[in-house]
Amino acid sequence: MAKKPRIEIPANPKELLELAQSIYNRHLTLAGTSPLLVMNTPNWTTLGETVAPALLLEKQAKDLEKELKNVYEQRDLLLKPINGAVKASRDLLMGVNSQNPAKLGEFGFIVTDSVAPKKDKPA
């Protein structure tokens, strides 16, 4: 007995939209002879018109992802020295206020009385 061929549907949104665009284009080319005309829900005649805008939104989302990555990288470059200054400030203020660490709260630090839990050593 012959194997039944597998026809995969892409899980990747861009690939799925590209396949949908191909199906819609072929449907339009065949016009009145398209075998997809018998489909009621979804109907390629109306649904197909949504594929191009969805592809544009997919591209816009990818562009925004790239822009977001760039923004995070720029932020991180600025964050490193800021983090160092915050730690150094904490350490200096702890030295100045060793008898009253709660004073660090005046600078915006959150001061807790509990001891930090010990971190497990890696095996």
Side-chain angles (χ1 to χ4, degrees):
M1 184 173 238
K3 281 186 179 180
K4 182 178 179 182
R6 289 176 32 137
I7 310 297
E8 296 192 20
I9 296 177
N12 175 290
K14 182 176 187 262
E15 293 173 4
L16 178 64
L17 289 169
E18 288 170 345
L19 174 58
Q21 186 67 60
S22 179
I23 293 168
Y24 181 57
N25 290 345
R26 183 66 178 152
H27 174 68
L28 290 176
T29 300
L30 294 173
T33 63
S34 173
L36 301 178
L37 287 173
V38 298
M39 292 177 61
N40 291 325
T41 307
N43 178 323
W44 274 104
T45 303
T46 55
L47 180 69
E49 295 172 3
T50 66
V51 176
L55 277 165
L56 288 174
L57 289 170
E58 171 67 17
K59 183 184 180 326
Q60 184 180 9
K62 292 297 180 188
D63 291 345
L64 288 171
E65 282 178 358
K66 288 177 189 174
E67 184 178 339
L68 182 61
K69 182 181 177 202
N70 185 32
V71 169
Y72 276 126
E73 288 172 354
Q74 290 178 32
R75 181 219 48 197
D76 290 348
L77 290 173
L78 299 172
L79 196 57
K80 187 174 182 180
I82 291 170
N83 187 40
V86 168
K87 287 179 180 178
S89 298
R90 176 203 57 199
D91 295 346
L92 176 69
L93 291 169
M94 278 298 292
V96 171
N97 298 290
S98 61
Q99 299 301 311
N100 187 9
K103 293 280 265 177
L104 275 76
E106 294 174 7
F107 286 86
F109 288 97
I110 298 171
V111 181
T112 57
D113 292 330
S114 63
V115 178
K118 291 184 178 181
K119 295 181 180 177
D120 292 333
K121 293 181 180 178

